[in-house]
Amino acid sequence: MSRPPTFTPPPCARAHRLGTARGDFAVLDASPHGATRGTALLLPGFTGSKEDFIALLEPLTDAGYRIVAVDGRGQYETDGTDRPETYAQHELARDVLAQAAALDAGDEGGVHLVGHSLGGQIARAAVLLDASPFRSLTLMSSGPAQVTEAQQAKVKLLGDALAKLTMAEVWEAMRALDPPEDATTDGEALRRRWLRHRPAQLIATGRQLTVEPDRVAELAATALPVHVLSGVRDDTWPVPLLDDMARRLGAHRTRIDGAEHSPNTDRPEPTARALASFWEDLRTAPRP
């Protein structure tokens, strides 16, 4: 999971609930001081939350962008159900379309959509349902199809545990397997976040990560500008696989030095610069 440096939003951001046609979603909504150059919707990954983007908020608003990071259905501070079917990928994708509509960025040419890991695959599904609300798509450490076999095994192990144990019991088991260097992380805040996730959401979306088909050709056919951003090492989708996906998409490609699967928390400043630079290049480009 991504480990944000803090769970306290910076002064540029406010926490509130974004009302949409598909319900309310907990967001961190950060606005620039001056004119807005664009609006971006950020989707977190598996076991994550909107706070995974917290270190990006100030540098991106300083660049002139409104940034809205969201907890998806059943994630952390957004409520969900105990019914697995409510977390089907097409349902989560429709949630994203409703969120984009609620942001009302049509006069800016559309919303810049960013998805980290699982969030990238949900973002892709939303674009494939309807690309018209979006100005661009950034796939951050999010690959073309299912995760590696090693990660599939970990996800299955987690799903089996969630089916039998409480969230608190699973948390303690996961902490026991953490490397010693993770002991410095704000464990209590991470624990509170974990306990507020819906187990059904984790089981359903975890399974999606293990069976996701390759839909790169479908995405390329939309002609939406795509940015493939990652660290220089990734054990969920190997970096050469992300390089190849970018080539197949004709996408802009960024590798963040010193970052692994979560450049948003590993190296937020260069990650923010890469995002803002990509969006700026699109400001004068004709929309496809």
Side-chain angles (χ1 to χ4, degrees):
M1 68 178 69
S2 290
R3 291 172 166 82
T6 178
F7 277 68
T8 303
C12 64
R14 66 186 181 100
H16 69 98
R17 306 194 76 77
L18 178 70
T20 81
R22 289 177 62 85
D24 294 347
F25 295 85
V27 299
L28 293 177
D29 193 337
S31 297
H33 292 296
T36 299
R37 302 175 73 82
T39 296
L41 176 63
L42 278 55
L43 313 181
F46 185 57
T47 76
S49 70
K50 60 192 180 302
E51 285 74 18
D52 292 342
F53 301 112
I54 214 162
L56 300 179
L57 299 181
E58 283 192 314
L60 287 175
T61 55
D62 287 346
Y65 288 88
R66 179 191 178 194
I67 307 299
V68 180
V70 62
D71 287 338
R73 185 177 301 276
Q75 280 184 321
Y76 191 30
E77 294 181 323
T78 295
D79 199 13
T81 74
D82 294 325
R83 302 192 310 276
E85 64 271 17
T86 63
Y87 306 107
Q89 189 186 73
H90 65 272
E91 294 293 341
L92 301 180
R94 290 190 175 98
D95 287 346
V96 174
L97 293 173
Q99 293 156 13
L103 297 181
D104 192 22
D107 58 344
E108 300 167 5
V111 173
H112 295 290
L113 184 59
V114 179
H116 173 238
S117 194
L118 169 73
Q121 297 201 330
I122 295 170
R124 179 174 73 176
V127 167
L128 293 178
L129 280 178
D130 183 4
S132 64
F134 305 109
R135 183 66 184 93
S136 73
L137 170 64
T138 295
L139 300 172
M140 182 185 294
S141 303
S142 186
Q146 73 270 22
V147 297
T148 63
E149 289 186 7
Q151 290 296 318
Q152 289 179 43
K154 289 181 180 180
V155 170
K156 183 180 185 305
L157 184 64
L158 176 61
D160 291 345
L162 288 168
K164 299 174 183 177
L165 304 174
T166 67
M167 290 291 283
E169 289 170 335
V170 174
W171 175 259
E172 293 305 319
M174 292 193 303
R175 291 305 85 184
L177 297 174
D178 272 352
E181 58 268 23
D182 285 350
T184 58
T185 300
D186 187 351
E188 184 52 36
L190 291 172
R191 181 178 183 275
R192 286 196 302 269
R193 175 172 73 174
W194 170 261
L195 292 177
R196 293 188 68 175
H197 276 69
R198 289 280 184 156
Q201 188 267 351
L202 293 169
I203 293 170
T205 57
R207 184 176 184 279
Q208 290 167 28
L209 286 169
T210 68
V211 299
E212 178 73 1
D214 188 316
R215 305 186 72 185
V216 172
E218 293 175 70
L219 180 59
T222 68
L224 187 71
V226 178
H227 183 191
V228 176
L229 186 152
S230 74
V232 294
R233 181 180 176 276
D234 197 311
D235 60 2
T236 304
W237 288 279
V239 170
L241 188 67
L242 300 176
D243 293 339
D244 182 66
M245 179 178 71
R247 179 190 59 77
R248 293 167 61 198
L249 288 168
H252 184 69
R253 179 73 173 106
T254 300
R255 299 171 203 80
I256 303 296
D257 288 339
E260 297 190 13
H261 185 61
S262 298
N264 44 309
T265 56
D266 294 344
R267 296 291 309 282
E269 289 287 344
T271 299
R273 287 196 298 270
L275 289 169
S277 175
F278 173 64
W279 298 335
E280 281 299 301
D281 287 345
L282 294 177
R283 279 170 53 80
T284 57
R287 181 169 179 175

